[in-house]
Amino acid sequence: MKAFEFLRENNHEGLTVVLDKGLPPKFVEDYLKICGDYIDFVKFGWGTSAVIDRDVVKEKINYYKDWDIKVYPGGTLFEYAYAKGKFEEFLDECHNLKFDAVEISDGSSDIPLEDRKKAIEKAKDFGFTVLTEVGKKMPEKDKKLTICDRINLINFDLNSGADYVIIEGRESGKGIGLYDGEGKVKESELEELARRVNVKKVIFEAPQKSQQVFFILKFGNSVNLANIAFDDVISLETLRRGLRGDTFNKISSISK
């Protein structure tokens, strides 16, 4: 039972996706006692999984599984494997390590749409939850994508079988995707996106607190948010539940 259980309200179904940049296993085990109930997915960032001992990767995955958290390697690792012609070997290793999901992206490369679709379908055939990502890692390339480009790719991925689509925001949350150079949301682009895609299937990378507040007030506390640092999981949960000044008396429970 949680402390102050009588005050628990504003329940939600919003996904919280946390970025693990190489945390020690015992830290993960201990910290999940504090925040494990509030995490839905954990991403082992970019290619970190490939430079850590397999037994350590498996140990960490097991700790997450104890809390019913789905774990997946970063999209950059998929892109690297794809570029090397090792996609099936990549999926086999993900399966052997007991990852629950994979991310299909082209943030650091260019992958033809038909190949992207095949990759999604192949990952689904392996039994993985599939998350895709829309956007480029380099701001100069990402800026070439119009909001219509992003919308079309989101719908393409969902129609191809992706379970969720992540909107690129990187760790900075500045000058990329839906964010301007100061990290503020480009509201007109967001409005157009919300009109033309199923927002319940979209996960917004929102590393900054101001961005998390914005999306919660905009879409309700069941909005899906990613690139959440471990240190911010509890903070985000209090924002979702109206237990912090930024959202106090400003939200209600909104089911997905």
Side-chain angles (χ1 to χ4, degrees), residues 154-172:
I154 291 169
N155 287 325
F156 177 87
D157 287 353
L158 292 174
N159 289 335
S160 298
D163 295 282
Y164 296 97
V165 180
I166 302 166
I167 306 296
E168 178 68 75
R170 305 218 67 183
E171 286 184 82
S172 66

Side-chain angles (χ1 to χ4, degrees), residues 13 22 61 65 69 84 92 109 167 171 187 194 210 254:
E13 297 176 6
I61 289 174
K65 283 180 177 289
I69 297 168
K84 298 291 185 181
D92 281 332
S109 60
I167 306 296
E171 286 184 82
E187 295 190 47
S210 60
I254 300 175

Side-chain angles (χ1 to χ4, degrees), residues 78 82 86-92 102 104 114-130 160-162:
F78 153 73
Y82 174 86
K86 302 288 186 181
F87 179 47
E88 291 217 20
E89 291 91 332
F90 167 80
L91 292 177
D92 281 332
V102 295
I104 306 298
E114 189 58 33
D115 288 358
R116 187 180 178 101
K117 180 179 180 180
K118 289 178 181 178
I120 293 170
E121 292 173 345
K122 176 67 72 172
K124 294 293 290 184
D125 288 343
F126 267 70
F128 292 111
T129 297
V130 175
S160 298

Side-chain angles (χ1 to χ4, degrees), residues 16 32 62-63 87 95 139 146 185-186 189 198 223 238 254-255:
T16 294
L32 288 175
N62 285 334
Y63 288 140
F87 179 47
H95 175 75
T146 67
V185 177
K186 299 175 183 176
E189 293 190 7
N198 181 0
V223 66
T238 60
I254 300 175
S255 62

Side-chain angles (χ1 to χ4, degrees), residues 235-250:
S235 169
L236 173 57
E237 189 63 21
T238 60
L239 289 172
R240 289 191 189 274
R241 294 178 181 271
L243 293 171
R244 192 166 180 176
D246 307 83
T247 57
F248 184 78
N249 278 342
K250 296 177 182 178

